[in-house]
Amino acid sequence: MRHNKKFNHLGRTNTHRKAMLSNMACSLIKHKRVFTTTAKAKELRKYVEPLITKSKDDTTHSRRVVFSYLRNKYAVTELFKEISQKIGDRPGGYTRIIKTGNRLGDNAAMCFIELVDYNENMMKDTAAKKTSKTRRSRKKTNAVSAPAEADSNVVEEVKATEEVAKEEKSAE
């Protein structure tokens, strides 16, 4: 019977699976983003997030434990120096999986797995969304109307400069 055997074997032997996940984790740490199948990405998330949590505590023991998983001293150095500093205040959820559709050859579900704090485009989008949405009423107060008057003055100046530019073009 197969009770309580829940992790995905990914069609590989134990040693092959460990080596593949170690290599993918090193690539994720080095490049901050990896393009792979969804099943591998989900297993990689389970593999790499505990290592990132370990890297928050920079001790000799935690470095040796992480090195026993990754077997790449450059990846371990980058994990402990750069990544742990950037995600030090985050309590978990260090990776993000973005599905990209199916592969042409075998129709496998493909995706990106990336470190959350390293995608500047997503960070800009979330910052813009947070500032644009509000639940407050739209009543105008004196504090709000003063900048609105300044904005209208700027708009009038821009219109005046556009009219001057049109006159110059017509004079030529």
Side-chain angles (χ1 to χ4, degrees):
M1 285 183 264
R2 204 176 167 274
H3 298 298
N4 293 328
K5 298 178 189 280
K6 295 188 178 179
F7 69 94
N8 193 347
H9 293 283
L10 301 173
R12 287 162 173 79
T13 61
N14 186 23
T15 53
H16 187 186
R17 187 171 50 253
K18 284 181 182 177
M20 182 194 66
L21 289 173
S22 174
N23 288 332
M24 288 179 69
C26 290
S27 296
L28 180 66
I29 291 166
K30 184 178 177 184
H31 301 292
K32 313 301 188 260
R33 176 185 282 187
V34 175
F35 184 69
T36 183
T37 62
T38 305
K40 286 180 190 175
K42 288 178 180 178
E43 288 299 312
L44 180 60
R45 180 195 303 177
K46 287 190 245 179
Y47 187 84
V48 80
E49 288 206 4
L51 298 180
I52 295 173
T53 303
K54 270 276 197 216
S55 74
K56 289 182 177 181
D57 182 30
D58 192 5
T59 61
T60 305
H61 177 67
S62 62
R63 279 183 178 263
R64 286 178 177 165
V65 169
V66 170
F67 182 76
S68 71
Y69 282 92
L70 295 180
R71 297 285 184 191
N72 186 337
K73 63 182 178 181
Y74 301 110
V76 172
T77 304
E78 185 159 345
L79 178 65
F80 277 86
K81 284 190 177 177
E82 287 184 29
I83 296 173
S84 66
Q85 298 300 321
K86 195 156 187 177
I87 53 104
D89 57 341
R90 185 179 288 273
Y94 312 113
T95 58
R96 174 188 299 128
I97 295 177
I98 301 171
K99 296 183 180 179
T100 59
N102 293 339
R103 188 163 47 195
L104 285 177
D106 59 353
N107 207 30
M110 300 298 286
C111 67
F112 284 111
I113 181 169
E114 63 186 6
L115 295 175
V116 172
D117 291 328
Y118 282 91
N119 191 345
E120 289 80 16
N121 296 331
M122 292 285 274
M123 291 172 64
K124 288 177 187 175
D125 291 344
T126 55
K129 287 179 184 177
K130 285 181 183 177
T131 58
S132 65
K133 292 183 180 178
T134 181
R135 290 187 166 197
R136 297 183 183 169
S137 65
R138 302 285 182 189
K139 295 179 183 177
K140 290 193 175 185
T141 61
N142 293 335
V144 176
S145 62
E149 291 172 6
D151 291 339
S152 64
N153 292 337
V154 171
V155 170
E156 289 173 5
E157 289 177 11
V158 170
K159 287 182 180 178
T161 55
E162 288 176 355
E163 290 175 6
V164 170
K166 286 181 183 178
E167 290 175 5
E168 288 176 0
K169 286 184 180 180
S170 63
E172 292 176 353

